[in-house]
């Protein structure tokens, strides 16, 4: 809607992860380097964690775009899969028929497929997105799949991408064997205030913007303060700001324009206090002195919290769509009244 007004040839802030719009901040560069390092190693697990909307899937898609011809890559986004369900999904992603077969049959077919790839000088890569949803026993099944080998080299390599909740899962006492196979791990932090400005300008330029600065410094600061540097929230807010600018015919988007949109969307976006910078945290050994009962209590509270967050997020999504419709309707009516007034004055 606003693209032609601002001379753009694409939507710069769409929510769907697009590797062509990949912005390499310090932490995103590091995460991508770890993934590339893992590919070069051709063994072990790489673990990338980060908050909701920090760009994990975009990094995965960027890697898949640049992947070598000798790698057969598959990507899965995981709900809470059982070990058997995981095996079926992985096999399906590698174009192996699973209907009517037992788990043993599927594993045998998968092993044959991986061995044939190896005979052709190729290897398989599995990208597991939203890996925090996997139960412990399913992550252990992933480790077992990495046992497929030929001449001492693994035939299947896996990268795990997940939210912060993945780290305590991997710290569990019975995940020791899995941890020993992690060759690198990295945590994605939100963007800094400087990164936010560079991120917005990068995406605008990539979408065709060639004019002078569209946003003022005050506008950038307001965007950073409201979104706390989370790329997905930046995309949502900035897209609305551009829509507002189009409807108001603004050639420059200043602090007042951002505040006007923030007032509209403050109740719609799921905002949490998030630190602007967080150093990469290695996965440490669990505290063996913690009691089992205490851990169970923590797990119960954790899953209760996740259920509440999911319910709230769904409610927020519905509310956002309703409010956005009303918002656009109100501004279009305002534009129409202005148009009628100007025509009557002629």
């Amino acid at each position: 809607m606003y693209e032609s007004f601002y001379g753009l040839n694409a939507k710069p802030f769409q929510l769907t992860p697009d590797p062509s719009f990949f912005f390499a901040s310090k932490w995103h560069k590091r995460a991508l380097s770890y993934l590339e390092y893992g590919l070069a190693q051709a063994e072990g697990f790489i673990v990338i964690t980060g908050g909701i909307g920090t760009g994990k899937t975009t990094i995965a898609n960027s890697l898949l775009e640049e992947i070598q011809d000798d790698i057969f890559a598959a990507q899965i986004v995981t709900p809470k899969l059982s070990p058997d369900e995981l095996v079926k999904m992985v096999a399906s992603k590698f174009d192996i028929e699973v209907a009517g077969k037992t788990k043993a049959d599927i594993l045998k077919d998968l092993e044959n497929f991986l061995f044939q790839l190896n005979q052709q000088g190729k290897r398989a890569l599995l990208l597991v997105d939203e890996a925090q949803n996997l139960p412990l026993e399913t992550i252990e099944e992933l480790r077992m799949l990495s046992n497929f080998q030929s001449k001492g080299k693994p035939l299947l390599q896996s990268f795990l991408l997940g939210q912060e909740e993945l780290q305590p899962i991997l710290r569990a006492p019975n995940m020791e064997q899995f941890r020993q196979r992690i060759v690198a791990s990295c945590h994605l932090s939100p963007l800094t205030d400087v990164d936010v400005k560079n991120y917005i300008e990068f995406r605008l330029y990539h979408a065709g913007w060639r004019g002078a600065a569209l946003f003022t410094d005050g506008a950038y600061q307001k965007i950073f303060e409201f979104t706390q540097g989370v790329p997905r929230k930046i995309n949502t807010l900035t897209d609305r700001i551009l829509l507002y600018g189009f409807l108001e015919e603004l050639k420059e988007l200043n602090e007042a324009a951002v505040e006007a949109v923030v007032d509209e969307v403050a109740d719609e976006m799921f905002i949490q206090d998030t630190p602007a910078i967080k150093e990469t945290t290695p996965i440490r050994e669990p505290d063996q002195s913690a009691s089992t009962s205490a851990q169970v209590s923590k797990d119960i509270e954790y899953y209760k919290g996740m259920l509440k967050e999911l319910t709230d997020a769904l409610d927020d999504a519905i509310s956002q769509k309703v409010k956005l419709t009303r918002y656009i309707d109100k501004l279009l009516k305002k534009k129409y009244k202005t148009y009628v007034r100007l025509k009557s004055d002629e």
Side-chain angles (χ1 to χ4, degrees), residues 303-314:
Y303 286 114
K304 282 183 179 178
M306 282 196 66
L307 181 59
K308 184 179 184 303
E309 286 184 9
L310 177 60
T311 303
D312 290 343
L314 290 172

Side-chain angles (χ1 to χ4, degrees), residues 116-169:
Q116 289 171 8
L117 272 185
N118 182 259
Q119 293 293 96
Q120 299 167 17
K122 299 180 180 181
R123 56 193 176 93
L125 171 67
L126 180 65
L127 277 161
V128 183
D129 206 351
E130 301 296 344
Q132 78 282 349
N133 292 326
L134 292 175
L136 292 179
E137 61 270 19
T138 305
I139 295 178
E140 177 63 13
E141 187 73 42
L142 271 178
R143 184 186 71 80
M144 296 300 292
L145 292 179
S146 70
N147 287 334
F148 290 135
Q149 295 185 359
S150 175
K151 298 179 181 178
K153 280 288 187 181
L155 299 176
L156 176 65
Q157 185 180 20
S158 297
F159 291 172
L160 272 62
L161 299 97
Q163 296 172 28
E164 292 100 326
E165 294 88 349
L166 179 60
Q167 291 199 9
I169 292 172

Side-chain angles (χ1 to χ4, degrees), residues 336-346:
Y336 179 75
K337 288 179 181 178
T338 303
Y339 172 79
V340 170
R341 189 180 68 250
L342 290 173
K343 292 291 291 183
S344 64
D345 291 341
E346 291 179 356

Side-chain angles (χ1 to χ4, degrees), residues 18 39 58 84 121 126 130 134 139 146 162 177 209 212 214 230 294 305 328 343:
D18 184 347
L39 277 179
T58 302
D84 290 358
L126 180 65
E130 301 296 344
L134 292 175
I139 295 178
S146 70
Q177 291 189 71
W209 174 256
L214 181 57
V230 176
I328 295 175
K343 292 291 291 183

Side-chain angles (χ1 to χ4, degrees), residues 8-172:
L8 305 175
N9 51 41
K11 288 196 70 173
F13 301 102
Q14 59 186 358
L15 294 181
T16 305
D18 184 347
S20 65
F21 279 85
F22 176 66
F23 173 76
S25 73
K26 172 184 175 182
W27 299 112
H28 289 78
K29 281 181 182 176
R30 177 174 296 185
L32 191 57
S33 295
Y34 282 166
L35 292 175
E36 292 169 345
Y37 168 78
L39 277 179
Q41 293 293 101
E43 62 181 354
F45 290 88
I46 301 289
V47 179
I48 305 293
T49 58
I52 298 171
T54 50
K56 302 179 295 298
T57 304
T58 302
I59 285 177
N61 290 343
S62 297
L63 180 75
L64 291 177
E65 280 240 322
E66 301 173 1
I67 213 147
Q68 299 98 319
D69 293 336
D70 63 341
I71 296 177
F72 192 123
Q75 183 175 10
I76 62 174
V77 180
T78 61
K80 294 185 182 299
L81 297 173
S82 68
D84 290 358
E85 290 169 336
L86 175 76
V87 169
K88 288 182 178 180
M89 179 172 283
V90 172
S92 296
K93 289 293 183 177
F94 287 120
D95 300 326
I96 297 171
E97 180 60 46
V98 298
K101 294 182 180 179
T102 65
K103 180 180 178 181
D105 291 336
I106 296 171
L107 285 173
K108 186 62 178 177
D109 289 345
L110 180 58
E111 183 178 18
N112 290 336
F113 167 79
L114 295 174
F115 185 76
Q116 289 171 8
L117 272 185
N118 182 259
Q119 293 293 96
Q120 299 167 17
K122 299 180 180 181
R123 56 193 176 93
L125 171 67
L126 180 65
L127 277 161
V128 183
D129 206 351
E130 301 296 344
Q132 78 282 349
N133 292 326
L134 292 175
L136 292 179
E137 61 270 19
T138 305
I139 295 178
E140 177 63 13
E141 187 73 42
L142 271 178
R143 184 186 71 80
M144 296 300 292
L145 292 179
S146 70
N147 287 334
F148 290 135
Q149 295 185 359
S150 175
K151 298 179 181 178
K153 280 288 187 181
L155 299 176
L156 176 65
Q157 185 180 20
S158 297
F159 291 172
L160 272 62
L161 299 97
Q163 296 172 28
E164 292 100 326
E165 294 88 349
L166 179 60
Q167 291 199 9
I169 292 172
L170 298 182
R171 293 190 186 106

